[in-house]
Amino acid sequence: MSILAWTWTIVGLSFALYIGIAFWAKAKSTGEFYVAAKQVHPVLNGMATGADWMSAASFISMAGMISFLGRDGAMYLMGWTGGYVLLAMLLAPYLRKYGKYTVPMFVGERYYSNTARVVAVVCAIFVSFTYVAGQMRGVGVVFSRFLEVPINTGVLIGMAIVFFYAVMGGMKGITYTQVAQYCVLIVAYLIPAIFISIMLTGNPVPQLGYGSQLSEGGMQLLNTGGGYLLDKLNEVQKELGFSAYTGRGAKSMIDVFAITFALMVGTAGLPHIIIRFFTTPTIKGARSSAGWALLFIAILYTTAPAVASFARLNMIKTLNNSEYTNAPSWFKNWEKTGLSAWKDKNGDGRIQYAKGNAFKGKVEFEKGAVGPYGERVVKTQMDDKSANELYIDNDIIVLANPEIAKLPAWVVALVAAGGLAAALSTAAGLLLVIASAFSHDLLKNVIAKNMTEKQELLSARIAAGGAVIVAGYFGINPPGFVAQVVAFAFGLAASSFFPVILLGIFWKRATKEGAMLGMLSGIAFTAAYIIYFKFVNPTANVAANWWWGISPEGIGTVGMLINFAVVIVISKLTKEPPKQVQDMVESLRYPRELA
């Protein structure tokens, strides 16, 4: 069968499974809708957390970032992994003992203020919408290539699927759907990685393979001499004018640190991950599920550097300096989506890959125009200062990897299903956060306190449906590639939630005035910085213009420090919290089971 036929088959079967689970696990109460009635087994919750955590950014975009940035790309790997450890050890047990549904609930009661709750609701919705935009973009990318539909149409299909099982099943349906999605995504990620590792090095373990020597088969496949794979990749990179793959990249150390730290503390402030620890029956179960989740996450995260290295070397050796008319089919397939492109700057009919941008601005094609070599004609202005003629979007590396390595069509289709599973699982979790923030934290506890459980459940489903529509819009009009958009969301979470949650648990003196002003100042600064450099004046988005040399992806670290400073200073200047609040904080520090 063709790739298209295999994709329709595998994706169709996986979607049928998700919808079937949603029917089976339909939420019948607010407890089931928000926290799956706190009856999820720790191992299953660990798998669901892994799927919730490993979004389109982890599955689709992270290896692409590492592939293009080399060692600097590991900041995404370190930040997201370290952040989960921070969350599991420092926050999850204490919040689980608190025992309520949402982060805004914790903020509202810990800081004894409905106004603080509303501020937290606004921050949760803002962060979640930013994050979900990256997921819907990932859905569009997968559909556009493998189901041969426009990206916008792909986003709409993804919206329909998420709407069905998120609105129907709530947290109960989402949890068991995410267990299935984890199984799909991890198998889809590992199978091509194992195949390619064997092909290039003879080692079936990708985590070891990319540090091994090329096998005879690998040397023939790449038409190169022997040696260690990473050494060969370094040589190829230097020949093309890039820095060594394993060496220091172009990013400054302060920016690498800022991005890593923003991703780390942003993880610990993500509402859709925190809420997962409320779904287990006990605090011990929450701790156990955190350990299982870390194991399930590590399987993919330790494989990502290998996938990045394999794809990078394969791509360069099979594509650079090849005649366009004889270019690999994978490149021409992705060219149809607009996520890869070639502009023959020197007129020799060959694809030249070098350091620098191939085009200025967004890649656009002349409608129906074909060049002398059969290529689609790019109407975007060329970057004449660069010898580079090739554009490859970061987000296609993992998805194109099996095609680059000429793996069977069913493997290509399986990776497509895995990418969709990763994007949809996280999107569902985020939509639930938005729904619960609106219906439970805003309507039930602030605006309409007398509403019935049935009315609250209906409002939650309506909110989830509305959130799907807004998420789809951002998926069609994304502010960047997947990992970049998600990095913005982590920065916003770091600058808004992490300080007030951490101080709320460990510092009894933190006051409502400090918390509200801290959240507002942190997220306002971070959002303003991102919006200015990405939207208001994107031409200024270069390292020379960044404050303190920190990019928009890393500015959440500064926003977090501002938040901490504001909370501490204002808390010192205002009346201390009531005694019952301080007693509650004292009890949270000892995550024992409730009597």
Side-chain angles (χ1 to χ4, degrees), residues 517-542:
L517 290 174
M519 284 189 289
L520 290 173
S521 59
I523 200 168
F525 169 80
T526 304
Y529 193 92
I530 292 171
I531 290 169
Y532 175 77
F533 283 109
K534 294 301 296 183
F535 303 103
V536 176
N537 190 10
T539 57
N541 190 25
V542 293

Side-chain angles (χ1 to χ4, degrees), residues 137 139-152 329-341 362-365 376 391-393 395-396 399-400 403:
R137 152 80 176 184
V139 170
V141 169
V142 174
F143 272 114
S144 68
R145 165 62 188 93
F146 296 107
L147 299 182
E148 298 184 5
V149 298
I151 288 181
N152 294 355
S329 60
W330 71 265
F331 176 73
K332 294 183 179 180
N333 289 334
W334 280 100
E335 193 177 24
K336 296 174 185 176
T337 69
L339 298 174
S340 67
K362 184 179 180 181
V363 176
E364 295 181 85
F365 296 100
R376 299 185 72 196
Y391 168 75
I392 299 288
D393 193 286
D395 291 339
I396 75 170
L399 299 172
E403 290 181 277

Side-chain angles (χ1 to χ4, degrees), residues 178-189:
Q178 286 173 336
V179 171
Q181 287 168 329
Y182 176 80
C183 296
V184 172
L185 74 87
I186 202 65
V187 169
Y189 205 83

Side-chain angles (χ1 to χ4, degrees), residues 3 42 60 91 212 221 246 271 285 324 347 386 427 438 461 480 524 526 579:
I3 290 176
I60 295 175
L91 302 183
S212 302
L221 186 68
T246 59
Y324 179 83
S386 167
F438 178 79
R461 286 184 165 137
T526 304
K579 185 177 185 304

Side-chain angles (χ1 to χ4, degrees), residues 341-346 350-352 358 387-391:
W342 170 63
K343 187 82 170 183
D344 192 15
K345 294 182 179 180
N346 57 12
R350 292 180 175 272
I351 299 172
Q352 308 293 334
N388 184 32
E389 300 178 344
L390 179 66
Y391 168 75

Side-chain angles (χ1 to χ4, degrees), residues 280-426:
T280 56
T282 63
I283 299 171
K284 182 180 179 181
R287 285 181 176 273
S288 177
S289 67
W292 282 108
L294 190 58
L295 172 64
F296 295 135
I297 291 168
I299 295 172
L300 186 144
Y301 271 53
T302 56
T303 309
V307 172
S309 303
F310 298 155
R312 180 73 174 175
L313 187 56
N314 256 332
M315 183 194 77
I316 293 173
K317 295 297 289 185
T318 60
L319 195 59
N320 180 55
N321 207 36
S322 65
E323 293 183 1
Y324 179 83
T325 52
N326 295 321
S329 60
W330 71 265
F331 176 73
K332 294 183 179 180
N333 289 334
W334 280 100
E335 193 177 24
K336 296 174 185 176
T337 69
L339 298 174
S340 67
W342 170 63
K343 187 82 170 183
D344 192 15
K345 294 182 179 180
N346 57 12
D348 66 352
R350 292 180 175 272
I351 299 172
Q352 308 293 334
Y353 184 46
K355 187 176 181 180
N357 295 321
F359 314 106
K360 291 180 180 178
K362 184 179 180 181
V363 176
E364 295 181 85
F365 296 100
E366 293 282 0
K367 187 173 182 180
V370 179
Y373 304 102
E375 81 281 8
R376 299 185 72 196
V377 175
V378 181
K379 67 179 181 180
T380 310
Q381 184 182 3
M382 288 189 297
D383 184 354
D384 294 324
K385 297 179 181 178
S386 167
N388 184 32
E389 300 178 344
L390 179 66
Y391 168 75
I392 299 288
D393 193 286
N394 287 352
D395 291 339
I396 75 170
I397 287 298
V398 170
L399 299 172
N401 195 28
E403 290 181 277
I404 297 173
K406 299 180 180 178
L407 295 182
W410 68 267
V411 178
V412 179
L414 183 63
V415 171
L420 289 172
L424 295 176
S425 62
T426 302

Side-chain angles (χ1 to χ4, degrees), residues 199 214-225:
M199 290 167 62
L214 292 171
S215 64
E216 288 189 16
M219 288 185 281
Q220 292 176 3
L221 186 68
L222 298 173
N223 191 25
T224 188

